[in-house]
Amino acid sequence: MTIDIKSTGGNVTAVLYGEIDHHNAQEIRTQLDNYIITVQPPELTIDFSNITFMDSSGIGLIMGRSRLMREWGGNLEIRNPQPYIRRVMKLAGMERIVKIT
């Protein structure tokens, strides 16, 4: 799993590559949380366009980052999930928690 974090004008985009499962979700959470706590961005976008697989660990990842962003007064957006990943997010009710584009 690779994460590419870019900051533009205070807003942050984290591009994820590979799979999100119980084996690597903790590493992703740690990297994102450290960045969020250090930078406290007003907007965090997580780009899922390069995610090839996601299990329920991905739902937990989104929920936790959403909660952390709200603690700092920021917002989380999920961008470009593959159709089957978007369907999993919708079934889990993620659209009520974060913006999915």
Side-chain angles (χ1 to χ4, degrees), residues 12-100:
V12 174
T13 300
V15 181
L16 307 181
Y17 298 87
E19 298 183 351
I20 301 174
D21 58 24
H22 69 278
H23 295 292
N24 60 18
Q26 179 61 45
E27 176 186 340
I28 300 166
R29 281 192 296 269
T30 300
Q31 288 185 39
L32 288 175
D33 287 356
N34 288 340
Y35 195 88
I36 292 167
I37 291 167
T38 302
V39 177
Q40 299 181 14
E43 299 286 334
L44 171 63
T45 301
I46 302 178
D47 188 328
F48 273 69
S49 60
N50 298 299
I51 295 298
T52 57
F53 172 81
M54 183 183 87
D55 65 12
S56 60
S57 301
I59 299 300
L61 175 80
I62 294 167
M63 291 175 65
R65 288 351 59 168
S66 175
R67 188 177 318 116
L68 184 57
M69 286 298 294
R70 281 194 309 270
E71 287 176 13
W72 297 110
N75 296 305
L76 174 64
E77 177 181 343
I78 303 301
R79 189 174 293 158
N80 304 319
Q82 303 294 331
Y84 73 95
I85 292 176
R86 182 182 297 271
R87 191 167 42 252
V88 169
M89 290 177 183
K90 184 174 182 175
L91 289 171
M94 291 291 95
E95 295 173 323
R96 294 184 304 247
I97 298 170
V98 299
K99 182 178 178 180
I100 302 172

